[in-house]
Each structure stands twice: as C-alpha cells, then as structure tokens.
Amino acid sequence: MIGKLLSTDLLKMRRTGIWWVVFIGPVGLAAMQALNFGLRYDYLVQDRYASDPWAGLIGETGMFVPIAIYLAMTLLMAMIANIENRQNAWKQTLALPVRRSQVFASKFLACLIQLLVACVLLAASVAIVGLVLKFEGPVPIIDLLTLGAYPMLASLPMLGLMLWMTLTLRNQAIPISLGIAASLVSVFGASMPEIVPLAWPAVVLANGEAALRYSGFGIALFAVLYLLGSIHFSRKDVA
Amino acid sequence: MNEMMIETRNLTKKYKGTRAVDALNLAIPRGEIYGFLGPNGAGKTTTIRMLLGLIRPSSGVVQIFGQDLKRDRIKILRRVGSLVEYPSYYGHLNAVENLETIRRILNVPKTRIDEVLHTVGLTKDAKRHVKGYSLGMKQRLGIAAALLGSPELLILDEPTNGLDPSGILEIRELIKKMPQEQGITVLVSSHLLSEIEQMASSVGIVNQGKMIFQDSISNLQRKAGSEIHIALSDAEAAMITVREQGCFARLDQGKLIFKGIDDGQIARLVSALVDARHSIYRVEERRKSLEDLFLTMTSGASGSASEIAAIGSGAPRGAGLRKEVAQ
C-alpha cells in the first residue's frame, strides 16, 4: 500500500515545480562555487588550497550546505503539503481506504527521495566544477556524496518538525516562517554549542570523525518527532 | 429491504462544550436515496465526516454494512464513494490524472476512469487542467471520483451547492439513476427541501444536531397534508348545504376550505352544491407546502420542542424506517 501511495504522491507532484527546487538547489550551490573558484582561481587553487584543491572546493561548498538543506526541507514539505491543502483535498485523500499513518509515511518518503536526489545532484555538479577547473588527483567520490548526505541526516529533525507542522496545521505561514528562521540561524551553526540540533549539520561538516555520531543523533531525534507527528496526524479531525 | 447500509446509534460530536451532533440515530436501508436535510449548521457535514472516519465521534457508534466503522474502517471505505462539501481536486492535473491518483489506491482497472468520466459527461474535457473547470464540472469530477471504485454506498454532501439550475438538474438525474441502474444506496445531504423532495425516497431532517424527523418522503408529504378549496357564489349559505352532507368546512374569504376529504365526498359535495343553486367558480387542491412544514419543524427547536414532537408523532410509520422525534 505504501508503494501505491508513494506513486500517487509522485503523480500529484507533476507540474508543481517541486522537481525544479530539487534541481536548482544543488546546481545553484555548485554554480556559486564555480564563480568563486573561477574568479579567484589564482588565490584559491594555486595558493590557499594548492595541496588539495578538491578538499578546498568541498569545504567551501560545505559552508552553504546546512542552510540549503534547511531551506530545501522547508520548501519541499510546504510544497508537498500545499498539494493537499490548497483545494482541501485531505478530505478526499483520507476518505479513501488508506491508513493515515501510511499517508504520512508516503509524504515523508516523497520528501526523502527528493532530498537524496538533491544530494546526488550536488555531488555530481560539484564534481563537474572540479573537473572543469582541471583539479589534480582522483575525484573524491565518497567525500562528494557525504558532502550532502551527512548534513542531511544531521538535519533530519527539521524534516520531522516540518512534516508534522505542514501536514497538520491549517496555517502554513507558521512552519514556513519557522523553517526560514531556522535556515538563517543555521549559518552560525559552527559557533553554536554542539547540543543545539541546529548546529549538527555544521558540526558534521567541520569534524569528519563526529559525522556518523551526529548523523545518528539527527536520525534519533527525527524518529521521535516523526512518531509524534504521525500519531497526531492519524488522530486529528479533518476539517 | 430491511438491511441497513448505515446505522448510527447516539452519534455525538462535541466541540468545546457545544454539541454539533447530538445523539443522532440514522438508519438507511439498502437501495434508498436518503435525503439528509437540515438548515446550514445543523450538523449534516459533521455527521457525514464522522461516517467517513474523517473526524472522531465524541461518543456513539457508526455501523456501515453492519460493520463497526472504528474497527473495519479500511474495509468499509473500500465500498464507499464520497463527495464532501465543495469538491476536492488537484487543479494542476487534468481529470484523468486526478482520477488516476485515486485509481492507484483503489486498485481498479484503468478502463474505470473512462467509464466514470463518461457517466458524468466529462469525456470531452478529460485532458484539460481541472483549475480551468467550472464549478459544475469540478462537482461532476468529484462524483466521478466517488464512483470510481464501484461503491455500494455513495455519500454526497451538498452535491448541488453552488450549481446553476441546469447543473443541479444534471446532478439530480445522475443521482436518481444510481439505485435503479447500479444498485447503489445514496446518502445525499442538502439544506434545500425541494432538492431532496425531487430525488430522495426517504428523508431525515436534522436540526441543531438532533434528528427531528426520519421517515419515507411520501409520509413527509402526507404529513404536509392538502386542502380542498371551493370558491362559490354564496359561501355562507353553502355552509348549511355542506353540513347536511356531513362535511365540515372552514369559511375563508368567501371560500369553503375542507381538510382530509376523499374524492367521493368531493363529488357528492359539488353535486349537492349545484343542486342547491350555488354557482361554483373553482374547486382546487392546495398543498400545504413542505417548506412550511420544514420551517415549523426547524425554527426554534429549543422553544417549541413539544410542537415538533406533535408533528413527529402524527404520521403513520414507514416500512422499515425508524422515526426520530425530538424529546
């Protein structure tokens, strides 16, 4: 059943522009770095990161990854929820023979798939920037893939919150404002204490050894929020 | 005929202390078009949402197909088609895609989409984006969606709301065909009595969350009653002739008004009046309009509960239908 639900959710996303967000986010980040490294090639590639230009490129991109992920989670979930909220289609969807928990799960999976696609796109487009700038050495495929994936896992609590709020609240302004505020604050993640979940994606990027641990924290906190959201969604009255 | 498709017992929904639906007992037999009638805000939509499991009752039981909705919700909903209030749709998709989102979940063959589009007459516009549809077309798409899974029970909440007269007629004809052609039982709600009167076979009237009348439509009409008005040259003198015939008339503006007399009595009366040299101008039947009855039943239910009870207990009981009277 979850497969059927997911396939309908993907069908409902046709012509909504959601996939453009998935595409433009990572490609935009890479384009920004192409400009950065292209304009300051002499300083960045031949001086500052001369020993390992790939690591330099990944590091510079990484500075913008947390805010991009938070924004993506907010925007994608708002768009996914909007499909059902706009014409009040919830009453139709939930009057079908489906479990509410599965409807909730399907919305989550749809968003997760989009985030994973964005991670892969980010890896690919950053690799292309490096190759075009003729960086030496082999392409660090693992580092490129984890550039998006680890911070994404560490940011999952945000997705849990967004999932909960966008799918249960009538007023979408609340989750969207909250998501944008969190995205902006996350820029200063590196200077926040590590106990604050908003700092986790930055921690993951700055400290390779802590990456798995903080990704784990992210998943754990997400699981709690997901469960609460799912229970609330399953029990609430549909107006 | 006695098999109940929908049965609720003491169904109640409280919102912050006020009872939107108050101890409602619905009984809808198979094969009926059940008109669920009440003024705006009477609790019709709340009840229908509870029937579909969209909102939880504060107390009471819903049974559909004889199964408990709480326990077998998914099994029940597979056999129910619904349209709740104004239509739900995805404006950025066309009609076929809209139905496809539902078809994948119901797991019915793709040909059903063409069939239901044909049934509601949307085949020509199937490939257009739904946001460009008129309200009537959206409403018809909603009905197509409700029919997609070949349901045994169709629950339509205000399906003709906001439609123009020709749209109303189309939807009404569509609904009337269902029990005959496909054996579907229909629950249709409306705040317009005339609407219900033209399509329903039985009716439940709800006001302020309470069921105040539940019976067949013919019993409702009978209760409304009819009067025979006879206009003639000298009404006062005619009263004597009438009394000799054993009938009792009310005099009103030079007309004699009879209540509850049959055809034979009318014929005898007229010939007696003619023999008595009265000039008869007009003999007409006047129905007390159902609107009046509806208004008496629903106006100020709090103030005149006894009056409603009196109306409710006057009519003969319909076969297989329970009648509810406000206490």
Side-chain angles (χ1 to χ4, degrees), chain B residues 167-186:
Chain B
I168 291 176
L169 188 74
E170 266 176 56
I171 302 256
R172 189 195 302 147
E173 292 308 312
L174 201 61
I175 292 171
K176 276 162 84 173
K177 278 192 297 190
M178 308 256 166
Q180 302 151 17
E181 290 180 8
Q182 311 178 47
I184 303 175
T185 307
V186 185

Side-chain angles (χ1 to χ4, degrees), chain A residues 162-230:
Chain A
M162 282 297 132
L163 201 57
W164 184 357
M165 294 178 86
T166 57
L167 296 186
T168 55
L169 285 179
R170 275 255 76 149
N171 186 353
Q172 295 289 303
I174 298 167
I176 293 174
S177 324
L178 195 87
I180 291 175
S183 317
L184 295 177
V185 174
S186 75
V187 175
F188 310 103
S191 50
M192 274 188 276
E194 292 184 357
I195 197 160
V196 181
L198 275 179
W200 293 350
V203 171
V204 162
L205 286 168
N207 181 353
E209 281 154 30
L212 274 178
R213 190 150 43 95
Y214 280 91
S215 300
F217 289 166
I219 294 172
L221 184 54
F222 164 75
V224 174
L225 289 166
Y226 177 91
L227 211 65
L228 289 172
S230 181

Side-chain angles (χ1 to χ4, degrees), chain A residues 32 46 55 75 79 92 102 109 114 127 138-139 145-146 154 156 172 175 193-194 203-204 212 232 238:
Chain A
M32 222 161 67
Q46 284 164 356
L75 207 55
M79 290 175 92
Q92 183 174 295
Q102 291 187 337
L109 286 178
Q114 287 160 349
V139 182
L145 284 173
T146 54
L156 274 181
Q172 295 289 303
E194 292 184 357
V203 171
V204 162
L212 274 178
H232 180 197
V238 180

Side-chain angles (χ1 to χ4, degrees), chain A:
Chain A
M1 181 45 85
I2 192 83
K4 281 186 217 159
L5 276 168
L6 188 57
S7 87
T8 66
D9 273 330
L10 293 176
L11 171 63
K12 287 174 193 172
M13 285 168 198
R14 270 191 207 173
R15 294 193 280 272
T16 54
I18 285 184
W19 290 103
W20 280 106
V21 175
V22 173
F23 177 77
I24 285 170
V27 172
L29 276 187
M32 222 161 67
Q33 290 314 315
L35 263 176
N36 184 18
F37 277 75
L39 293 175
R40 303 196 291 165
Y41 189 84
D42 294 339
Y43 167 64
L44 288 176
V45 181
Q46 284 164 356
D47 179 8
R48 192 164 165 200
Y49 299 125
S51 58
D52 189 353
W54 278 111
L57 177 60
I58 290 173
E60 294 270 325
T61 313
M63 280 170 46
F64 299 95
V65 166
I67 182 174
I69 289 176
Y70 279 130
L71 277 177
M73 283 173 172
T74 306
L75 207 55
L76 290 175
M77 265 327 293
M79 290 175 92
I80 290 172
N82 187 39
I83 294 173
E84 307 280 356
N85 283 335
R86 192 168 33 182
Q87 297 304 336
N88 203 3
W90 282 120
K91 58 186 160 61
Q92 183 174 295
T93 304
L94 298 179
L96 291 171
V98 289
R99 282 187 198 294
R100 291 220 194 153
S101 58
Q102 291 187 337
V103 173
F104 191 81
S106 166
K107 303 284 178 205
F108 159 64
L109 286 178
C111 192
L112 187 70
I113 288 171
Q114 287 160 349
L115 288 170
L116 289 173
V117 169
C119 284
V120 173
L121 275 176
L122 178 67
S125 42
V126 172
I128 289 170
V129 171
L131 290 172
V132 168
L133 294 174
K134 299 204 170 61
F135 286 177
E136 282 165 27
V139 182
I141 295 173
I142 302 292
D143 289 347
L144 282 171
L145 284 173
T146 54
L147 169 66
Y150 278 150
M152 201 267 277
L153 292 177
S155 317
L156 274 181
M158 186 67 186
L159 181 59
L161 205 61
M162 282 297 132
L163 201 57
W164 184 357
M165 294 178 86
T166 57
L167 296 186
T168 55
L169 285 179
R170 275 255 76 149
N171 186 353
Q172 295 289 303
I174 298 167
I176 293 174
S177 324
L178 195 87
I180 291 175
S183 317
L184 295 177
V185 174
S186 75
V187 175
F188 310 103
S191 50
M192 274 188 276
E194 292 184 357
I195 197 160
V196 181
L198 275 179
W200 293 350
V203 171
V204 162
L205 286 168
N207 181 353
E209 281 154 30
L212 274 178
R213 190 150 43 95
Y214 280 91
S215 300
F217 289 166
I219 294 172
L221 184 54
F222 164 75
V224 174
L225 289 166
Y226 177 91
L227 211 65
L228 289 172
S230 181
I231 291 170
H232 180 197
F233 182 74
S234 301
R235 301 181 66 92
K236 80 177 195 110
D237 285 351
V238 180

Side-chain angles (χ1 to χ4, degrees), chain A residues 95, chain B residues 52 64-65 76-82 146 151-155:
Chain B
L52 293 169
I64 299 181
F65 310 126
I76 290 170
L77 288 181
R78 179 65 190 79
R79 297 159 65 191
V80 176
S82 64
E152 292 159 56
L153 172 65
L154 202 55
I155 296 180

Side-chain angles (χ1 to χ4, degrees), chain B residues 52-70:
Chain B
L52 293 169
L54 289 173
I55 59 181
R56 288 164 180 263
S58 304
S59 64
V61 181
V62 177
Q63 282 197 327
I64 299 181
F65 310 126
Q67 293 166 310
D68 187 357
L69 183 70
K70 230 190 230 157

